[in-house]
Amino acid sequence: MDIAEIDASGHGLQYFCKCIVHKSQQVNGQSDVYLLETDTILPRKEQLAPKPGQFYLLRRAISSVEYGRPISVYRSEERIDSDTGLKVVKLEFLILKKGRGTQELAGLLPGDELHITGPLGNGFEIPEDIRLDRTSEHNPEICIVGGGIGVAPVAFLAKSLPEKTYDFFACFKESSYALDYIKAHSLTVTTENGSEGIHGMLNAALTASTLRERGYKAIFACGPLPMLSYLKDIAAEAGVRCYVSMESHMLCGVGACLGCTIPTTDGNARVCKDGPVFDATKLVFEKPAPRRKPLPIDYIPDTSVRIAGVKFNNPVIAASGTFGFGQNYRGITDVNVLGGIVGKGVTLEARPGNPGQRIIEVASGNINSIGLQNPGVQAFIDDELPAMLALKPVAIANLAGSDLDSYAGGAALLDATDIPMIELNISCPNVKAGGQAWGLDPDKAASCVAAVRKATKKPLMVKLSPNAPDLIAVALACVEAGADALSLINTISSVSIDIEKARPVFANVRAGLCGPAIKPIALRMVYDVAEAMKKLSSYKQVPLVGMGGISCWQDAIEFIMAGATAIQVGSAKFANPHVMEEIITGISAFMKTHGYRTVDEMVGLALV
């Protein structure tokens, strides 16, 4: 921390505290922008109120996210609390509802508690040679530009300046907002759709010629990167100083973690500490990647995929162990819209499953130790399969075992049925015998796949274990032994301790971790196997089905771009029974807006 940020007693001038939300409301005319207001009593007299351009880390006190979200200040007012004599700062923020954290912030109600850290960053500084006594007869020397939600911090800057000492340019996709405090010499609004002000982007209203003609000496701006890059260029052309507020993902917000760096001509700079306001001449803007043209309005993307010759109407499949045999969720959600359903894992003989506690909730997921409780393959064929086959999704039998004979015996029984595909489970971490033991070693995995391959002509998809020391070796061994497809990953071996009993929670000690917590690991493993698959001859390559922590359509797209032809959804539907329907809709909408006519066009795009 800089010496200037420490008071005489050695305490920091920034602060972290809880505060109460006073106002939370949707901004008029905006479907995804919310105004959030709170009063904060500063813990010590020496602590600071925010300057224009500074931000706070905000997080709902009871939250599903771990870290605060950096939100710029839209408005700030100070007063002295009559009871404590401490400074009270009234803060207003504009929240763009985008990801999980901002969705939570947008959903706050008056009276809710909010965690707040700040004020952070360096803020806007007006150069000493800029005159702030302009009259209406003269053009101002300051040009302020805000784009979209980036209007918030520059509106705070504008409010801090004398009236009519600046010109203000505000750019939006549709209608304008957050201009209540703007008392500009000239206010110019542009909208991309032409609904308000000038039709177009910033370049329709502000150019290098405009900067020169109006005699601006400095630009202060915040908004999307393409707009800031454009301002840097025209400012340089016109010989005008330009200061822009940047954004970056961040964790600590105080410069400690080095996670929010951006490239500059002086090397990496921390947005939270060295910024967010930078001299534009120091910034290095990357050229934006070209975007595909959206599909025609009346065009319906083809979401169907083929796995080992079997056609699925869409790439969303219910994962084994989380959807029963397809009947449990009927009436709660529309089961028939799914691409496929993988049934509960079955073994040749019936199994009672594991004793003792079977599930616990953990941060962003759960640990489970079910133990492959099932009625046996023949009972599945007699009692469950007819109803499963009557559903529209592709039915897939998940087959597990303890030895080669039980695997082969179960496969032989399934081979005589109309089941379209078998998922061979060599990766369950919740059983003492068999299961994941077969999936940890390439030779054992190959022997199991070969035995089942000999027992059935059904398309065979092998489910891989994330606990294998060399997952790629296991995957390639399975392909060599006759796998027609690979699905990955199963749950990750985990342990939980009951601190009151000083004993493991689960009878088997180790159990399987699943849920959003494992998604980045699962995605990496799919990516790794997809990379290895690309190196094989085309006739040896098999499709991949990705799973592990998928809870929204964006997750599904990530797995597809990492190399998965389809995806499976597991524990996410325990929290949201409609999640798979939402993922199907989201994939189709993404394909339409990004110009993908088929799912195959997206498969493996992220592989480098």
Side-chain angles (χ1 to χ4, degrees), residues 40-212:
T40 304
I41 300 179
L42 304 192
R44 293 188 304 278
K45 292 180 180 180
E46 297 84 1
Q47 290 182 315
L48 300 176
K51 298 184 296 184
Q54 290 189 301
F55 67 95
Y56 289 77
L57 291 180
L58 305 183
R59 186 172 73 92
R60 191 175 68 180
I62 301 175
S63 176
S64 66
V65 301
E66 295 293 328
Y67 309 105
R69 297 310 193 249
I71 307 293
S72 297
V73 180
Y74 173 50
R75 187 186 179 205
S76 173
E77 291 183 354
E78 301 176 36
R79 60 180 173 83
I80 301 299
D81 183 76
S82 57
D83 295 327
T84 65
L86 293 173
K87 187 186 300 180
V88 179
V89 181
K90 176 182 177 182
L91 297 170
E92 289 186 359
F93 303 93
L94 289 181
I95 310 296
L96 175 64
K97 188 169 66 172
K98 193 174 182 181
R100 284 192 301 140
T102 50
Q103 286 174 351
E104 285 190 359
L105 294 175
L108 288 167
L109 298 174
D112 285 347
E113 286 189 332
L114 183 69
H115 284 168
I116 184 168
T117 306
L120 304 171
N122 59 2
F124 292 107
E125 296 287 346
I126 306 298
E128 292 182 359
D129 64 319
I130 299 293
R131 295 184 60 186
L132 295 176
D133 59 351
R134 288 306 197 189
T135 68
S136 59
E137 298 176 359
H138 301 87
N139 287 330
E141 295 181 345
I142 293 177
C143 173
I144 300 177
V145 183
I149 199 67
V151 165
V154 289
F156 185 21
L157 170 63
K159 190 176 184 298
S160 71
L161 300 176
E163 293 184 11
K164 298 185 178 182
T165 58
Y166 58 90
D167 285 347
F168 200 102
F169 293 81
C171 308
F172 304 93
K173 285 187 176 181
E174 299 177 4
S175 57
S176 65
Y177 59 90
L179 302 178
D180 300 343
Y181 308 134
I182 307 303
K183 307 295 182 183
H185 173 268
S186 171
L187 171 62
T188 303
V189 174
T190 74
T191 50
E192 191 174 346
N193 67 354
S195 60
E196 186 177 344
I198 297 173
H199 188 180
M201 311 291 279
L202 179 62
N203 59 2
L206 187 62
T207 65
S209 296
T210 312
L211 295 176
R212 284 191 293 262

Side-chain angles (χ1 to χ4, degrees), residues 464-489:
L464 303 180
S465 171
N467 307 302
D470 189 343
L471 179 61
I472 292 175
V474 173
L476 297 180
C478 290
V479 172
E480 194 65 33
D484 300 303
L486 302 174
S487 60
L488 63 159
I489 61 172

